Structure formats: structure tokens, C-alpha cells
Amino acid sequence: SFNECTEYIYTDTMRERKRNMEEHCDAFIVTPGGIGTLDEFFEILTLKQLGRHNKAIAIYNINGFFDELENMMAKSIEEEFITKDCTELYKVFTNVDEMLEYINNYDQKDIDLSKVKIR
């Protein structure tokens, strides 16, 4: 909860916000949102694919909000724009306890980043 938050970081730009998230976050939780949320998700996903970080990325799919995103990723795999292994870079959850367990037990060594690039 916000009562337990020890630090608030305010930024002037999205670029600064994303840089701060990349540098200071231990994991990323994507919740329903707008264009900024999608921009942040795809940036952290791309940075993970490029090997800039190997932090947990969890999508909290509340009420099926991200179902179409999952469909789009499946279509991108089908059309060979991304590899199937790319979906190993993030995990989608409908249960908050399972999502938090994933984040708490995330092991960076379980992800082989060399498999996620189109050759």
C-alpha cells in the first residue's frame, strides 16, 4: 500500500520516468492503463530482449484487460515477427497472489536471452 512506500520519485518527462524505472525497479508489474502503460511495457520488454536487464515482468490481466495483447503477441509469433521464446520474458496473471509469488521467486538465470531474437 502507499502507506508503506518509502520513496516517491517525480519526473518531468516520460523518458526520465522510464529511465528511473529501469534503474531503480527490481521487477515490473503492468496493470491496465493507456498508451503510456503500453509504451512502458514494450520498452521494458524490448530492453529485456536486448539484455539491458533481466528483471521479472508481470502483467496483471484484471478482468481480461490484456487478452487482446496476448492475442497480438500470438499473432506476432505466428507471423514470425517475434520468437515464441519472447513470451518467456514476461508472464501474465489473473491471480495477484500467484503474480507476487512469481516476482518474489523470480530467478534471472531461468531466462536465456539468446533465444528471444529473430535470427
Side-chain angles (χ1 to χ4, degrees), residues 21-47:
M21 285 189 340
E22 180 186 353
E23 291 173 2
H24 298 288
C25 293
D26 296 321
F28 302 95
I29 298 174
V30 182
T31 59
I35 292 171
T37 299
L38 295 171
D39 176 49
E40 290 167 346
F41 166 65
F42 282 112
E43 178 142 348
I44 60 170
L45 181 63
T46 301
L47 292 174

Side-chain angles (χ1 to χ4, degrees), residues 63-74:
N63 297 323
F65 185 87
F66 288 109
D67 289 352
E68 294 304 317
L69 177 67
E70 289 186 275
N71 291 338
M72 184 192 71
M73 296 300 279

Side-chain angles (χ1 to χ4, degrees), residues 45-111:
L45 181 63
T46 301
L47 292 174
K48 188 170 184 176
Q49 180 184 30
L50 294 173
R52 288 264 307 267
H53 75 84
N54 195 0
K55 300 173 185 178
I57 302 173
I59 298 176
Y60 190 24
N61 191 15
I62 302 168
N63 297 323
F65 185 87
F66 288 109
D67 289 352
E68 294 304 317
L69 177 67
E70 289 186 275
N71 291 338
M72 184 192 71
M73 296 300 279
K75 181 70 171 176
S76 294
I77 292 165
E78 179 184 315
E79 297 290 333
E80 298 182 353
F81 290 117
I82 62 175
T83 66
K84 173 81 171 114
D85 293 303
C86 187
T87 60
E88 298 297 316
L89 299 177
Y90 63 93
K91 193 161 169 96
V92 180
F93 297 89
T94 57
N95 180 290
V96 71
D97 293 326
E98 290 174 7
M99 180 178 66
L100 294 175
E101 183 178 327
Y102 166 75
I103 289 170
N104 287 327
N105 295 310
Y106 182 78
D107 187 347
Q108 294 184 2
K109 295 182 290 286
D110 290 342
I111 304 293

